[in-house]
Amino acid sequence: MVSALTLAHVVGHGSGPIPRTYALIAGATALYASFDALRLRWQERRFDQRRVWRPLPGTLSPVVDHPLLRRTLRLLGLASAVLTLTVLTTGYGGAELGLGMVFVLFWVGLVPASLLLGPVWRLMNPLRAVHQAVCALTRVAPGEGLRRLPARVGVWPAVIGLFCFGWLELAAPARDSTATVLLWLWAYGAVQLVAATVFGSRWFARGDAFEVYSSLLAAMSPLGRSADGDRRLVLRNPFNGLAGVRAEPGLSALVSVMLSLTAFDSLANTGAWRTVSEGLPQSPVRTAGLLATALTMLGLLRLSEAAARFLSRGAPWRSGLMAPSLVPVAVGYVMAHYASVLLLEVQRFVDVFFVSGEPAAAHHGGAEATAYAVPAAVFIALFQVVAVVTGHVFGVIAAHDSAVGALPPGRKVLPQIPLFVVMIGLTLGGLSLLLSV
């Protein structure tokens, strides 16, 4: 991928600013202490999407919902997409600029944007803008389609799209080529627009991988909507938003793919992977590794479901109810791995388009790490460990609250242990990969 991504892995082989053993002990201890405290003091469900901290001023919602602002955001998204395609096509600012705009500014930046502002991609989705324009020309209502999208489809189309994007980033042949990325983006856009023509604009909320991904992350945003009829903007506990995520077909697979993309990216950068894969065709091997990682994540979730059902004697705490508790874990992984890279790419983008007209690396003999401001290694390492551990602790809290709401009295703790063990394993595995690159 983009060479700047190596900055996400500045800690090497457990000998960096934070020793790997200390990080593993701290992570496991934090999770165990959290689970033990919850087990003793948290017996009834506390999180509810209807609960809010406080409503925002009533004048704010009409402004946010005004058609002019909505159209402006949609045009801004369309302009950003055109700019990205233009940079990729022309090579302006260097090949890495275009790749960084796709894989870092957009893909990684979508995480903090959705956490802070809500489902922003739903408002800025350029594919929705193109679909609306086509519908206006053909005088067809955007919501109308040739067929109704079956409910059983759930978010499975988004699962496939998200995996394909991860494959493009991590395993595709010539994945560092702007031509490869351009081809994928045009093909993805064409598929989405054809599907929207068939099923109407409602397709994007189920089939556009990035809109579904952003909306799932936005469930953890402190900025939300009231659950009553007026849909007023409110400030809320992010756990209350996460509690409102509905279990639907494909949700478990979607979260599994989210986890697997970062996990495999870390695995593929370890010396052990390079030793095993040396001399083998890289794209097929990496494709198999990425698929195996995703299936392993999904298998662990399904295994936790089966064990919970057995230990609770059939209580309906299904994988679809467990999956939202792994969203904070996925967020922690992404921020731990790519926050430093996002900082670098923002500086590169500003430098090219608003300062010098070319990346600073061109002025510094390619010494990109010194051309832009990068936090000290100890701060990056500390942030990585804190992000991973915090994501898992939040996941334990969300899982426990979900469990006590679904499990019968007297059997609210034991069925949680399988998922808790999985989270401990993910914590230790995630930190080991993070500190072993």
Side-chain angles (χ1 to χ4, degrees):
M1 198 180 150
V2 192
S3 64
L5 291 187
T6 55
L7 282 177
H9 307 291
V10 296
V11 185
H13 305 290
S15 59
I18 298 180
R20 181 170 55 192
T21 302
Y22 293 174
L24 296 179
I25 293 174
T29 301
L31 258 67
Y32 178 78
S34 302
F35 180 75
D36 199 45
L38 294 170
R39 175 181 63 86
L40 295 173
R41 299 178 177 273
W42 199 311
Q43 303 299 324
E44 300 295 333
R45 188 159 197 184
R46 300 184 182 184
F47 300 138
D48 189 326
Q49 64 174 331
R50 295 169 295 182
R51 296 177 181 173
V52 300
W53 280 333
R54 63 177 59 187
L56 291 174
T59 55
L60 189 58
S61 294
V63 173
V64 172
D65 294 332
H66 196 280
L68 178 60
L69 180 59
R70 295 299 179 102
R71 284 194 292 269
T72 301
L73 290 174
R74 193 61 49 78
L75 288 175
L76 179 60
L78 184 60
S80 299
V82 171
L83 177 62
T84 301
L85 293 172
T86 302
V87 170
L88 286 169
T89 302
T90 63
Y92 178 77
E96 285 194 357
L97 177 64
L99 297 176
M101 290 173 69
V102 174
F103 293 123
V104 182
L105 292 182
F106 169 63
W107 175 238
V108 179
L110 198 58
V111 176
S114 300
L115 291 176
L116 292 175
L117 303 174
V120 290
W121 196 243
R122 183 188 305 163
L123 300 177
M124 299 181 64
N125 192 344
L127 294 174
R128 282 186 178 268
V130 174
H131 179 247
Q132 286 184 344
V134 172
C135 289
L137 291 174
T138 57
R139 298 183 179 181
V140 175
E144 294 182 3
L146 303 177
R147 297 184 58 184
R148 182 179 181 85
L149 187 65
R152 65 179 180 275
V153 170
V155 294
W156 275 108
V159 174
I160 297 171
L162 193 63
F163 182 85
C164 290
F165 182 78
W167 175 81
L168 170 70
E169 178 188 6
L170 301 171
R175 64 186 185 278
D176 291 333
S177 166
T178 55
T180 300
V181 176
L182 271 171
L183 178 62
W184 191 95
L185 291 175
W186 282 112
Y188 179 82
V191 169
Q192 291 293 314
L193 291 174
V194 169
T197 301
V198 175
F199 298 110
S201 60
R202 67 181 67 88
W203 163 264
F204 294 111
R206 290 286 178 266
D208 182 5
F210 307 112
E211 185 168 317
V212 174
Y213 178 68
S214 173
S215 298
L216 183 57
L217 295 173
M220 294 181 58
S221 174
L223 183 65
R225 297 277 185 170
S226 60
D228 52 23
D230 64 4
R231 302 289 294 166
R232 184 176 178 178
L233 285 171
V234 298
L235 292 177
R236 65 186 182 187
N237 183 335
F239 286 108
N240 287 334
L242 197 60
V245 176
R246 296 186 301 108
E248 57 183 327
L251 179 62
S252 300
L254 180 69
V255 174
S256 299
V257 171
M258 289 168 58
L259 291 167
S260 68
L261 297 185
T262 310
F264 179 73
D265 192 14
S266 290
L267 176 63
N269 280 284
T270 61
W273 174 269
R274 287 190 289 268
T275 299
V276 170
S277 63
E278 186 177 2
L280 298 175
Q282 287 301 299
S283 181
V285 169
R286 293 174 73 94
T287 299
L290 179 60
L291 181 60
T293 305
L295 292 176
T296 298
M297 294 293 182
L298 182 58
L300 290 173
L301 195 53
R302 298 291 191 190
L303 187 62
S304 299
E305 173 189 21
R309 187 187 304 114
F310 174 78
L311 294 172
S312 63
R313 298 177 183 175
W317 193 41
R318 305 184 306 277
S319 60
L321 298 175
M322 297 176 180
S325 64
L326 293 175
V327 174
V329 177
V331 169
Y333 282 162
V334 170
M335 297 312 297
H337 284 71
Y338 305 125
S340 58
V341 188
L342 180 60
L343 175 63
L344 178 70
E345 286 300 325
V346 168
Q347 294 177 81
R348 191 212 302 262
F349 182 85
V350 171
D351 195 30
V352 170
F353 289 102
F354 299 102
V355 181
S356 67
E358 55 183 329
H363 303 294
H364 295 269
E368 193 170 39
T370 58
Y372 297 123
V374 178
V378 65
F379 292 111
I380 294 179
L382 181 61
F383 177 83
Q384 289 174 328
V385 173
V386 169
V388 170
V389 173
T390 301
H392 281 83
V393 170
F394 284 5
V396 168
I397 295 172
H400 180 78
D401 186 74
S402 171
V404 297
L407 297 174
R411 292 186 174 272
K412 293 183 179 292
V413 176
L414 189 60
Q416 297 183 52
I417 292 179
L419 183 60
F420 174 68
V421 171
V422 168
M423 287 191 174
I424 286 283
L426 291 177
T427 302
L428 299 180
L431 289 174
S432 294
L433 289 174
L434 189 67
L435 303 179
S436 300
V437 175

